[in-house]
Amino acid sequence: MKNTRTTRALQGAATLAAAGLLLTACGSSGGSASTGQAQGTSFTGRGPITYVAGKDTTGTVQTIINRWNKLHPKEKVTFIQLPTDADSQRQQMIQNAETKSDAYTVLATDVVWTSEFAAHQWIEPLPASRFPLQKMLKPVVETGKYRGKLYAVPASSNGGMLFYRSDLLKKAGITGPPATWAEMTADCAKVRKLPEAKGMSCYAGQFQKYEGLTVNFSEAVNSAGGQVTDANGKPDVDTPQARKGLDFLVNSFKDGTIPKEAITYQEEDGRQAFQSGKLIFLNNWPYVYSLAQKSKIAGKFAVAPLPGLNGPGTSSLGGSNLALSSFAKNKATALDFMEFFSSEESARYFLKNASLAPPYADLYDNATLDKQYPYLPVLKQSITRAVPRPRVVQYGDVTSAVQQEAYAALTGKKSSAQALKDLQAELRKLTAQ
C-alpha cells in the first residue's frame, strides 16, 4: 500500500491505496477449483458485476466506472468501497472468499496479497494474452504472478517519494533536497529557524500499527542496506543494517524529527499535515501530488527520492492490481472490465487526475507528460529501485508480526535490537509453515 500508504496502500496504494486502488489478486472459478486452475479457467457469463476497492479519496474511480456503464448498460459495474486501510480491505475480501460469496467480482488488491490469495484459490489465474503486459514495467507485472501464472493485472503502480517544501528550503539557503537521513535532519534545523516555519515539524510517514507501518519499516531497513527477507522469503531482519534502519525511526521520534502525533498517522493524516503547513518533509505515495497542488502549498513543494543512510533510499513497491474472485458470477464481463480499467487510456486518466503511478513504461519516457507531471522521473526511479515486501503465502501473519515489533520499538516498549531479534524468531516460524 506508500495502495497500499493507502495502504501506504492507497499503502497504496496506498497503497495505497489512497485512490481506492490496491493491488491485484485473482480467483479460481467455482466448482472444481484446483482442476480449473490447472486446465485453464472458462470465463463465461455476462451481466452486472461489482468492483471492490478501498475508499476512493481522489474521486476518480467512479468516473471510469461511469464510462464503462454508459458503454455497457446491461453489464453495469457497482463500486463497493471498503475502508481506506489495507488491513481492513484484505480482511473483508478474505471473509467474502471464505464464505464463497459472489458479492465481490473484481478485486483491487495490494501487490503483496497475490501469493496468499492465489494459494488459497480465492482468485482466478488470468489469461495473460488479454493484457498488454509487455508494455508494463517488469517489476510491476511480477507482483501479479504466483508460481509462474498471472493472477493479477496491474492497474497502477506505486513508489514512495519524499515530498518537501521547496520554497522553505530555498529560503533557508539549501540548494536541493536531502539524499541522506543526516542531510534531512540538518536541513530541518535550518528551515525551522525561519519565521515562516514556526511550529513546523520535520518529517513524517505512516506509523500507525497497520500496513503502512510495514511499508515504512521495510523502507528504513532497505535504505540502510538491510532486508526483511531474502529473495527466497527467508527472514534476515536481525542484522546490524536492519538495526540502523529501525534506529533511524526510533531516534527520530525521540529527538522530535518525527512529531509524536505521527505514531497515529496513516497516508491521509500525513498528507493533510503536509498540505496544512505542519511538515517540511513527507514520505508518501504519488497520489499526494495532485491533491497538494490544489491546496494552499500549491507551487511551494517538490518531490525527490526517499533519503537513506548513505545516499538515496529504497521505496517499498506498492500499486493497485486487479484480480477476479473465484466465486464471482459473470466472469466474461469481469474480464472485459479488467481490460478496460487497466488500459493505458485509463492509466493516463488516473495519472492526470489522481497522480497515480501508471504501470506502462512509455508514459514515464514521454517528454510532454514529464513536463506536465514533473515528478514522473523521480517516480520511475522509485518504482524501478523499489523492493517488494515479503512475498509469502502467510502474508497476513507476517505483516502483523512486523507491525507488532516495529510499533513496540517506536513506542519505547522494546529496544530496536530486541524487537528485531523477536521479529526474526517469529518470521522463521511463520515462513516455515
Side-chain angles (χ1 to χ4, degrees):
M1 96 99 116
K2 246 171 90 307
N3 196 289
T4 25
R5 300 184 235 216
T6 271
T7 65
R8 236 180 97 98
L10 278 176
Q11 333 195 284
T15 335
L16 209 100
L21 298 173
L22 281 176
L23 300 163
T24 320
C26 309
S28 67
S29 58
S32 177
S34 59
T35 301
Q37 288 186 351
Q39 301 299 323
T41 303
S42 175
F43 297 94
T44 60
R46 291 197 171 276
I49 63 172
T50 61
Y51 172 65
V52 186
K55 182 176 175 60
D56 178 21
T57 59
T58 67
T60 57
V61 173
Q62 190 63 55
T63 300
I64 294 294
I65 292 176
N66 289 344
R67 290 180 183 176
W68 167 272
N69 288 344
K70 186 176 181 179
L71 294 169
H72 306 84
K74 295 182 179 180
E75 300 174 86
K76 288 190 174 181
V77 175
T78 299
F79 184 18
I80 297 177
Q81 299 193 55
L82 303 182
T84 56
D85 68 282
D87 296 332
S88 296
Q89 294 165 20
R90 173 182 166 276
Q91 181 181 34
Q92 291 190 36
M93 289 181 186
I94 290 176
Q95 288 173 346
N96 183 82
E98 288 179 336
T99 60
K100 298 185 178 181
S101 169
D102 62 5
Y104 293 177
T105 310
V106 177
L107 310 175
T109 64
D110 196 311
V111 285
V112 292
W113 301 345
T114 304
S115 296
E116 179 183 22
F117 280 41
H120 285 89
Q121 299 182 354
W122 294 331
I123 54 176
E124 296 282 11
L126 299 174
S129 61
R130 291 285 298 268
F131 306 97
L133 303 179
Q134 71 281 1
K135 292 184 176 182
M136 299 181 180
L137 295 169
K138 186 175 180 180
V140 180
V141 174
E142 289 301 311
T143 66
K145 293 182 178 180
Y146 175 68
R147 293 187 175 180
K149 292 184 178 180
L150 184 72
Y151 278 87
V153 59
S156 68
S157 186
N158 237 351
M161 300 188 295
L162 185 71
F163 292 80
Y164 67 96
R165 286 293 299 273
S166 54
D167 61 329
L168 298 180
L169 263 66
K170 183 178 181 180
K171 197 154 193 174
I174 302 167
T175 57
T180 67
W181 294 328
E183 289 175 2
M184 183 175 71
T185 302
D187 289 349
C188 277
K190 293 179 181 178
V191 170
R192 291 171 77 177
K193 292 178 181 179
L194 298 172
E196 298 91 333
K198 184 178 180 180
M200 293 185 75
S201 295
C202 177
Y203 169 81
Q206 296 76 47
F207 305 111
Q208 191 179 114
K209 194 189 292 184
Y210 81 117
E211 186 63 24
L213 179 54
T214 299
V215 169
N216 277 246
F217 166 80
S218 300
E219 288 173 341
V221 168
N222 291 323
S223 295
Q227 58 184 0
V228 180
T229 61
D230 65 17
N232 297 316
K234 182 180 178 181
D236 188 30
V237 77
D238 187 14
T239 63
Q241 293 87 351
R243 182 174 176 180
K244 288 178 181 178
L246 182 54
D247 276 344
F248 161 68
L249 297 178
V250 170
N251 293 333
S252 293
F253 269 101
K254 287 181 178 178
D255 65 21
T257 298
I258 300 176
K260 286 184 172 57
E261 59 265 26
I263 197 66
T264 67
Y265 277 11
Q266 294 189 14
E267 284 87 355
E268 281 294 272
D269 303 300
R271 176 183 72 82
Q272 291 167 8
F274 183 68
Q275 288 182 192
S276 63
K278 294 180 180 179
L279 293 172
I280 300 168
F281 296 101
L282 173 68
N283 175 354
N284 212 324
W285 304 112
Y287 86 99
V288 170
Y289 196 95
S290 64
L291 295 174
Q293 283 287 48
K294 301 171 185 176
S295 73
K296 71 177 187 178
I297 62 168
K300 299 178 180 180
F301 71 94
V303 297
L306 296 178
L309 178 61
N310 298 313
T314 304
S315 170
S316 291
L317 184 60
S320 174
N321 297 342
L322 303 180
L324 177 57
S325 169
S326 299
F327 314 103
K329 296 178 180 178
N330 299 326
K331 291 179 180 177
T333 295
L335 198 61
D336 288 349
F337 174 72
M338 292 168 74
E339 284 187 286
F340 179 85
F341 198 93
S342 64
S343 68
E344 186 165 343
E345 181 182 358
S346 294
R348 282 178 179 269
Y349 172 82
F350 286 126
L351 169 62
K352 179 180 179 181
N353 295 282
S355 296
L356 292 188
Y360 293 91
D362 63 344
L363 297 185
Y364 293 92
D365 302 319
N366 184 305
T368 301
L369 289 177
D370 285 351
K371 186 175 181 180
Q372 287 179 288
Y373 313 108
Y375 61 89
L376 280 179
V378 174
L379 180 55
K380 182 181 181 182
Q381 178 182 339
S382 174
I383 292 171
T384 55
R385 295 184 57 195
V387 174
R389 284 157 284 165
R391 297 175 67 179
V392 294
V393 172
Q394 300 292 341
Y395 184 77
D397 293 331
V398 167
T399 188
S400 293
V402 170
Q403 294 165 34
Q404 181 72 25
E405 298 302 330
Y407 194 81
L410 296 185
T411 54
K413 294 179 180 178
K414 290 185 181 182
S415 65
S416 293
Q418 188 62 52
L420 293 174
K421 181 179 179 180
D422 293 347
L423 179 57
Q424 177 76 5
E426 184 63 20
L427 293 184
R428 279 177 177 166
K429 294 178 186 176
L430 294 172
T431 55
Q433 295 177 7

